[in-house]
């Protein structure tokens, strides 16, 4: 059984939001619905200034808070690593939105259910890479099987010392960042 | 019969400018001064000079002076708003276009094919232009269909339209990526010393020239540029792009801003010799203390593009129309502005 994960190379990211929009197009989201948010920050004093970008989305955690706080079992973890939401079981209580330390979920008022990145579950089932990975113009994103030591994601995690965002929170995310 | 280009690209004032590209930024001055000759009519395709060119006031004055302004576009731009005739163009998903040629290390030729029939009563620009040419009795010069253009283009690389329709993209040989590239100029190298410049009476080596203008302690040099989310002046009306970047902000150094009593997010009035805009300030260490930065493409007044209307400030209103002397490029970094809270 694979364990799907992603590596995002922050040394390549230019903050163009192509991932954000590709995700919106893939899932037919409204213009204001962002499953991927690209945060930016600035460090230093002129002229030694650096601007950094940080794309944040559902981390498909190994120990997902959203799943443990869900009162109905609507949020669930699949054996291949994906964290998904069963819309028919969701009562729209938003516990998961509050529980997610990465603020990855947004509320869809039209159907009364929180939504988030689904690792393009329909695409990866066909062996096609997620839309954000395909859209990235600088190839900062790599998707693959973290449990396979020969995979590209595993190689990047080891060789480029890719790290999880805020590992101290204990959620064990499956998205790793190269900084 | 040959007429010299009004902008002097390739001959006259700017012998080294590419005539295929032209020097659009000189057009307002040419229209208003009627030199070297009067221009009565303008056909604009997929361009928005009323916002993309420097000195908006002057550009709009020049466009208003034309006896005939025809705009072929997919959206109601500020230029289209001023046009006598708007000829609605099919979008890129509805039309067959002349080849897209990329000349990077690996040369590429790409074909843009329609994926749907036009949803509304629109035509591709190529068809509009050949149709106009036919009516004007100019078919001799412009009377060919886009398929013929593509086939003529493809002949040079030994391909047919049918084969490219299947593959979509053609890639040239990759020899160029192994070993240093050769340029088509006589030396075949990156030229620090340019014989071409010398032949036209210019300095063959780069020489330092001080800026034409310098800000004093109360003023700033205005810098402009593009954001990754937007393309020229074409995308600010797109709700998805507007959701990511709805308005531009004036980047200003915190030390300079403090002296002017400006805090992050304050509305400020930016004034140049050619115009004035009102935008929010963004205090950042990422800007030279003597300069301010304003992204291009905002401050729009086309009411039919509600997501862009009235958002941010129009940088082009502030920039003086100056041409750089060597190849006539728009000198966009020579504008001095003052900033105050507003």
């Amino acid at each position: 059984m694979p364990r799907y994960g992603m590596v995002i190379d922050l040394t390549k990211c230019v903050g163009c939001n192509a991932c954000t929009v590709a995700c919106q197009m893939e899932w037919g989201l409204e213009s204001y619905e962002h499953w991927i948010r690209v945060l930016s920050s600035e460090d230093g004093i002129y002229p030694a200034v650096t601007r950094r970008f940080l794309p944040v989305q559902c981390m498909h955690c190994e120990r997902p808070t959203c799943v443990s706080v869900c009162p109905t079992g609507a949020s669930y973890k699949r054996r291949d690593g994906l964290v998904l939401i069963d819309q028919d079981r969701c009562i729209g209580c938003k516990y998961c939105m509050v529980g997610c330390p990465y603020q990855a979920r947004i509320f869809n008022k039209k159907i009364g259910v929180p939504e988030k990145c689904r690792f393009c579950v329909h695409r990866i089932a066909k062996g096609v890479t997620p839309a954000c990975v395909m859209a990235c113009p600088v190839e900062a994103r790599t998707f693959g099987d973290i449990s396979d030591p020969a995979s590209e994601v595993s190689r990047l995690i080891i060789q480029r010392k890719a790290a999880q965002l805020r590992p101290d929170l204990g959620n064990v995310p499956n998205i790793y960042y190269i900084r | 019969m040959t007429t010299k280009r009004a902008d002097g690209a390739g001959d006259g004032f700017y012998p080294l400018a590419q005539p295929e590209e032209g020097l659009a930024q000189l057009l307002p001055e040419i229209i208003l001064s009627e030199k070297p000759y009067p221009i009565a009519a303008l056909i604009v395709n997929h361009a928005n000079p009323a916002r993309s060119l420097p000195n908006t006031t002057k550009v709009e004055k020049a466009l208003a002076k034309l006896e005939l302004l025809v705009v072929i576009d997919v959206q109601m731009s500020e230029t289209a708003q001023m046009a006598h005739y708007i000829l609605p163009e099919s979008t890129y998903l509805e039309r067959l276009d002349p080849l897209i040629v990329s000349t990077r290390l690996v040369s590429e030729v790409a074909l843009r094919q329609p994926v749907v029939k036009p949803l509304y009563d629109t035509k591709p620009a190529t068809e509009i232009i050949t149709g106009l040419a036919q009516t004007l009795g100019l078919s001799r010069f412009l009377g060919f269909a886009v398929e013929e253009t593509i086939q003529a283009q493809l002949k040079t690389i030994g391909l047919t339209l049918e084969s490219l329709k299947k593959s979509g993209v053609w890639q040239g040989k990759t020899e160029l990526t192994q070993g240093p590239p050769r340029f088509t100029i006589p030396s075949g190298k990156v030229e620090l010393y340019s014989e071409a410049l010398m032949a036209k009476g210019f300095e063959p080596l780069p020489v330092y020239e001080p800026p034409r203008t310098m800000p004093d302690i109360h003023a700033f040099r205005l810098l402009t540029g593009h954001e990754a989310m937007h393309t020229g002046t074409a995308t600010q009306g797109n709700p998805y792009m507007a959701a990511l970047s709805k308005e531009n902000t004036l980047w200003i150094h915190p030390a300079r801003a403090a002296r002017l009593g400006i805090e992050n997010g304050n509305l400020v009035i930016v004034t140049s010799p050619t115009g004035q805009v009102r935008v929010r300030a963004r205090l950042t260490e990422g800007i030279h203390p003597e300069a301010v930065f304003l992204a291009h493409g905002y401050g729009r007044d086309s009411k039919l593009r509600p997501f862009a209307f009235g958002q941010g400030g129009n940088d082009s209103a502030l920039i003086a129309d100056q041409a750089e002397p060597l190849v006539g490029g728009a000198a966009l970094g020579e504008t001095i502005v003052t900033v105050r809270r507003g």
Side-chain angles (χ1 to χ4, degrees):
Chain A
M1 179 61 71
R3 189 179 126 207
Y4 289 117
M6 194 180 284
V7 175
I8 303 177
D9 188 342
L10 300 181
T11 66
K12 287 182 175 175
C13 179
V14 293
C16 71
N17 280 279
C19 50
T20 312
V21 178
C23 169
Q24 290 179 300
M25 295 300 116
E26 184 70 27
W27 291 97
L29 306 186
E30 299 287 347
S31 59
Y32 49 85
E33 293 176 323
H34 294 145
W35 289 0
I36 301 174
R37 291 173 295 141
V38 182
L39 309 179
S40 78
S41 63
E42 205 176 273
D43 291 316
I45 300 289
Y46 180 87
V49 182
T50 310
R51 193 169 175 201
R52 292 192 176 86
F53 298 101
L54 178 66
V56 179
Q57 64 206 74
C58 173
M59 301 285 168
H60 296 274
C61 303
E62 282 306 290
R63 292 165 64 189
T65 320
C66 54
V67 173
S68 58
V69 300
C70 180
T72 64
S75 284
Y76 64 101
K77 174 94 181 155
R78 295 207 319 190
R79 286 207 300 157
D80 62 2
L82 269 62
V83 173
L84 296 174
I85 304 163
D86 181 345
Q87 295 188 348
D88 294 333
R89 298 185 74 161
C90 176
I91 55 170
C93 72
K94 304 184 189 174
Y95 277 17
C96 55
M97 292 176 68
V98 179
C100 175
Y102 301 101
Q103 298 176 8
R105 296 186 170 210
I106 58 166
F107 197 70
N108 184 337
K109 282 186 188 151
K110 284 173 290 185
I111 55 172
V113 168
E115 292 185 311
K116 61 164 197 77
C117 159
R118 300 173 191 172
F119 261 179
C120 282
V121 54
H122 60 302
R123 288 172 66 105
I124 63 173
K126 287 186 280 183
V128 183
T129 189
C132 58
V133 177
M134 189 164 272
C136 181
V138 292
E139 296 178 2
R141 290 168 176 267
T142 310
F143 183 83
D145 180 4
I146 287 179
S147 70
D148 173 8
S151 70
E152 181 68 5
V153 276
S154 296
R155 191 190 65 79
L156 287 171
I157 290 168
I158 293 163
Q159 290 184 0
R160 303 288 310 278
K161 298 189 174 67
Q164 293 148 325
L165 189 64
R166 292 292 304 272
D168 55 307
L169 298 171
N171 281 44
V172 195
N174 274 323
I175 292 185
Y176 288 73
Y177 294 92
I178 298 170
R179 327 171 187 231
Chain B
M1 182 192 78
T2 55
T3 309
K4 280 202 166 186
R5 287 186 61 97
D7 60 9
D11 58 16
F13 286 124
Y14 301 106
L16 293 165
Q18 298 289 321
E20 309 86 57
E21 305 274 335
L23 299 167
Q25 70 276 8
L26 302 180
L27 202 53
E29 179 61 31
I30 294 165
I31 294 169
L32 290 171
S33 68
E34 306 191 354
K35 283 173 187 159
Y37 50 79
I39 290 177
L42 188 65
I43 301 177
V44 179
N45 175 213
H46 193 67
N48 186 15
R51 274 298 177 281
S52 62
L53 297 186
N55 198 347
T56 305
T57 311
K58 186 170 174 178
V59 178
E60 290 183 345
K61 202 173 149 196
L63 294 177
K65 191 189 172 197
L66 293 165
E67 286 169 39
L68 176 66
L69 175 60
V70 180
V71 170
I72 306 169
D73 208 332
V74 296
Q75 57 186 339
M76 184 60 105
S77 68
E78 283 75 7
T79 309
Q81 273 194 153
M82 299 186 70
H84 299 101
Y85 295 98
I86 298 166
L87 305 177
E89 187 183 9
S90 307
T91 70
Y92 71 99
L93 297 170
E94 301 167 327
R95 65 186 193 230
L96 182 66
D97 268 355
L99 294 180
I100 301 154
V101 181
S102 159
T103 52
R104 278 167 277 188
L105 279 179
V106 180
S107 49
E108 278 182 343
V109 169
L111 185 66
R112 177 177 281 161
Q113 307 180 64
V115 291
V116 287
K117 287 207 168 86
L119 294 179
Y120 304 100
D121 183 16
T122 62
K123 283 184 165 50
T126 47
E127 208 179 309
I128 294 173
I129 289 164
T130 51
L132 288 175
Q134 199 175 15
T135 310
L136 293 167
L138 296 171
S139 295
R140 200 152 53 93
F141 305 108
L142 288 163
F144 32 79
V146 63
E147 288 84 357
E148 293 175 78
T149 310
I150 295 170
Q151 265 150 358
Q153 286 177 300
L154 283 177
K155 213 177 251 179
T156 58
I157 50 170
L159 283 181
T160 63
L161 179 55
E162 290 316 308
S163 65
L164 196 60
K165 270 184 179 170
K166 284 197 195 90
S167 61
V169 178
W170 171 89
Q171 277 198 337
K173 288 180 192 155
T174 53
E175 290 161 5
L176 278 173
T177 53
Q178 305 144 5
R182 259 193 81 78
F183 297 100
T184 51
I185 44 179
S187 69
K189 294 176 179 172
V190 174
E191 288 188 349
L192 296 180
Y193 183 95
S194 166
E195 303 265 356
L197 281 176
M198 197 164 67
K200 298 293 181 186
F202 296 107
E203 286 285 341
L205 279 169
V207 283
Y208 174 76
E209 279 181 42
R212 286 182 196 169
T213 56
M214 285 300 281
D216 64 22
I217 56 161
H218 303 295
F220 298 85
R221 180 177 302 282
L222 175 69
L223 302 176
T224 62
H226 291 247
E227 287 178 340
M229 278 77 89
H230 286 297
T231 303
T233 68
T235 54
Q236 287 75 17
N238 179 310
Y240 287 85
M241 300 299 125
L244 294 168
S245 187
K246 200 168 176 66
E247 60 177 76
N248 54 354
T249 51
L250 187 78
W251 295 26
I252 184 168
H253 191 270
R256 295 289 310 269
R259 257 178 268 162
L260 294 165
I262 295 167
E263 288 171 24
N264 202 34
N266 281 167
L267 278 167
V268 294
I269 291 173
V270 191
T271 310
S272 86
T274 62
Q276 194 172 73
V277 302
R278 193 160 175 259
V279 290
R280 290 191 188 281
R282 174 183 164 187
L283 273 55
T284 171
E285 289 286 344
I287 183 87
H288 192 293
E290 287 175 15
V292 287
F293 171 82
L294 191 61
H296 179 62
Y298 299 86
R300 313 298 292 277
D301 62 11
S302 173
K303 289 208 169 90
L304 288 175
R305 304 179 71 204
F307 289 98
F309 182 78
Q311 301 290 342
N314 169 21
D315 64 312
S316 297
L318 300 172
I319 302 168
D321 54 313
Q322 301 184 51
E324 162 283 317
L326 210 54
V327 288
L332 298 175
E334 297 279 15
T335 300
I336 306 299
V337 295
T338 56
V339 179
R340 63 182 165 86
R341 273 192 74 160

